[in-house]
Structures are given as C-alpha cells and as structure tokens.
Amino acid sequence: MPCYEFACRECGGFERIHLMAEVPAESACPTCGQPARRRVGGGTLLHGDSPAMRLLDATARTAAEPPVVTAPPSGSRRRVTRNPLHRKLPRP
C-alpha cells in the first residue's frame, strides 16, 4: 500500500498508509487531531532493494545505455530464407 503525506498547519507533516482507491483529501493529525490536508506527491510504492525496483533500474539503464552489437553471436549459423522479396535487399 502506498504511503501518503499530510500537512497539519499547527504540527507539520506526517505520513499515513491508505489504499489507492480510498485516499482521503484530509486526515486527522495524530498530535492535535485537527484536519490535515494531503500534500501533492507521488507517494511511496516500492522498496529500494525489492526485485521490482531492481528490474525498473535495469530497464531505465538499458534505455539510456543500450548494448551495442558489433558482430553476430559466435556459433550462429546463417539463416536461409525462402522469401523472394529478400533477394532484393542489399548484400553486405
């Protein structure tokens, strides 16, 4: 469940965990009990060491630094195509 930030005018900010479908616009301050408005933000969804976070980091890294292929993989065989349109393609 995501963690949302709320701001009390008298006491400052605090965090509460709510379901995404049930996030209130205001929550009672745990210190003074006054209504506190929710701050605009993204919320916290993932832990830094979770498998999902590692996958997101790896995906972002490959988007910025794609691997460069300089030659076909070793041991690969040439593919034989039977499509007549492929004969019109330029040869290396």
Side-chain angles (χ1 to χ4, degrees):
M1 279 193 287
C3 183
Y4 293 94
E5 293 183 25
F6 292 87
C8 177
R9 289 186 180 195
E10 296 179 21
C11 304
F14 61 94
E15 295 180 346
R16 289 273 166 93
I17 296 175
H18 293 283
L19 294 173
M20 289 178 127
E22 300 174 2
V23 181
E26 292 183 343
S27 181
C29 176
T31 307
C32 66
Q34 295 294 323
R37 295 187 60 186
R38 183 168 50 114
R39 291 183 184 171
V40 177
T44 305
L45 292 175
L46 300 173
H47 298 288
D49 61 342
S50 69
M53 192 65 178
R54 286 192 297 270
L55 177 63
L56 287 172
D57 288 342
T59 304
R61 195 168 31 254
T62 58
E65 304 166 7
V68 178
V69 178
T70 57
S74 62
S76 66
R77 297 183 300 176
R78 289 185 63 189
R79 293 181 138 182
V80 177
T81 178
R82 302 200 190 279
N83 188 336
L85 296 175
H86 290 170
R87 290 186 192 130
K88 297 179 180 179
L89 293 174
R91 303 273 177 195

